[in-house]
Amino acid sequence: MLIWIYTPSVTWELVFSLDWVLSRLFLLLSMLIAYSVTLDAMDTIRHQTELAEQTSRQEMMLAMQQTQYQQLTRHMESTREARHDLRQHLNIIDQYLQNGDQEALKTYISQYRKYLPPDTQYTYCKNYAVNTIVCYYAEVARREGIAFTVDLRIPETLAVPEPELCAVIGNLLENALDACRDMYGKSPFIHIRMKEENNQLVLAIDNACSAAPAEKDGRFLSTKHEGFGTGTSSVQSTAERYHGTAQFRCANGVFYASVLLYGDEKNPQ
């Protein structure tokens, strides 16, 4: 139609001429080649994006494993020191018992209790993958002076695949850390809560923020680069695949992220 419209003085004699047919065939072939190159370029970009996302996830998992290793090393060192100190305390208690000095023993035990180190709990839930990623971000928040509270009521085996869920948690906690880092002179905090019941998983993450993130066409703009943020978009895509929802809002200096996921992923039609 475009050829007929934009070609003046078209006659049947011209249409059936060899030059006309060859030129139109050349145009058609050029269009097909252009489409093919465009599709190949789009496929290459998609493949590169998938590789970049996979690399990012692997780097995050390595960082989490390193943090877990550091925590385990500190725990082993603390256990070794505690055993050494315990032997000393037992020797002193044994000496008091041999001397029959009950009052001195009571005083010693009372003083010892005051100097006992507080319990440190690193097991937030029974699921190893979720516990690992939460421990990683909890350690990052602790180093940066960000209050980090956790309430995970989930079983060891989840209805949602662990890689999908960990990607959602990682994206939201990464955004929460970025928001807390911008709160100069204030008290940043992150609260994460999660519960699984009746084959549905509910995740809520609240964090302090200095200002509401910019939006355009109902999507959040990235604070790290031009264009839209990929973290919340990825979370929304995952929620859609699992029949759920992902909602984000900001009010009174707090950013609220809520995600609902169901156990069965949508089957593509």
Side-chain angles (χ1 to χ4, degrees):
M1 290 178 62
L2 289 175
I3 292 172
W4 279 88
I5 292 173
Y6 291 102
T7 303
S9 303
V10 177
T11 62
W12 287 108
E13 182 180 355
L14 177 62
V15 170
F16 287 103
S17 66
L18 181 62
D19 291 342
W20 171 277
V21 174
L22 291 178
S23 63
R24 271 48 193 178
L25 288 176
F26 175 76
L27 287 175
L28 178 60
L29 180 61
S30 299
M31 291 173 60
L32 293 176
I33 293 175
Y35 289 150
S36 177
V37 171
T38 302
L39 290 175
D40 287 341
M42 293 176 64
D43 186 66
T44 301
I45 293 174
R46 179 187 61 80
H47 184 62
Q48 291 176 346
T49 303
E50 291 177 351
L51 288 178
E53 183 177 355
Q54 184 179 4
T55 301
S56 177
R57 289 184 180 181
Q58 290 176 348
E59 290 176 351
M60 184 178 67
M61 290 301 296
L62 287 175
M64 292 183 341
Q65 291 175 356
Q66 183 179 7
T67 301
Q68 285 288 87
Y69 173 75
Q70 292 173 350
Q71 292 175 352
L72 179 61
T73 302
R74 287 197 299 269
H75 177 70
M76 293 174 62
E77 182 66 19
S78 299
T79 302
R80 186 186 65 81
E81 294 177 356
R83 281 180 12 216
H84 175 75
D85 294 341
L86 180 61
R87 282 195 294 268
Q88 305 303 322
H89 292 306
L90 289 176
N91 291 334
I92 296 174
I93 291 173
D94 184 63
Q95 189 65 36
Y96 279 128
L97 290 175
Q98 289 181 9
N99 295 336
D101 195 345
Q102 300 292 331
E103 292 300 323
L105 177 59
K106 291 180 181 180
T107 302
Y108 179 80
I109 293 177
S110 177
Q111 293 178 347
Y112 175 68
R113 285 175 176 171
K114 295 179 181 179
Y115 293 97
L116 282 174
D119 293 334
T120 304
Q121 181 70 17
Y122 290 106
T123 304
Y124 297 111
C125 65
K126 296 181 179 179
N127 183 271
Y128 177 78
V130 174
N131 189 73
T132 299
I133 193 170
V134 172
C135 282
Y136 167 71
Y137 283 102
E139 179 68 13
V140 174
R142 183 193 64 80
R143 291 199 305 264
E144 300 188 18
I146 301 173
F148 195 93
T149 58
V150 182
D151 182 12
L152 304 182
R153 304 179 185 181
I154 57 176
E156 182 177 0
T157 302
L158 301 175
V160 178
E162 293 176 355
E164 299 271 24
L165 180 58
C166 287
V168 170
I169 296 173
N171 281 323
L172 294 180
L173 288 180
E174 190 69 35
N175 291 343
L177 283 175
D178 290 338
C180 288
R181 292 183 180 117
D182 294 335
M183 298 192 63
Y184 302 105
K186 299 182 180 180
S187 300
F189 66 85
I190 298 174
H191 302 324
I192 174 173
R193 303 178 301 280
M194 187 170 8
K195 182 179 181 181
E196 181 180 290
E197 190 175 18
N198 297 329
N199 203 40
Q200 64 181 16
L201 189 143
V202 180
L203 169 65
I205 298 180
D206 308 336
N207 63 269
C209 62
S210 57
E215 293 185 60
K216 183 179 180 181
D217 300 330
R219 298 173 61 188
F220 292 109
L221 296 174
S222 175
T223 58
K224 300 179 182 178
H225 54 78
E226 294 183 358
F228 296 105
T230 57
T232 52
S233 298
S234 175
V235 172
Q236 289 174 329
S237 298
T238 302
E240 291 175 358
R241 285 200 304 274
Y242 289 91
H243 308 269
T245 58
Q247 299 179 352
F248 311 99
R249 67 183 181 91
C250 185
N252 301 322
V254 181
F255 186 83
Y256 301 93
S258 304
V259 181
L260 171 64
L261 303 174
Y262 289 89
D264 298 324
E265 184 179 6
K266 284 184 179 179
N267 294 321
Q269 300 296 330

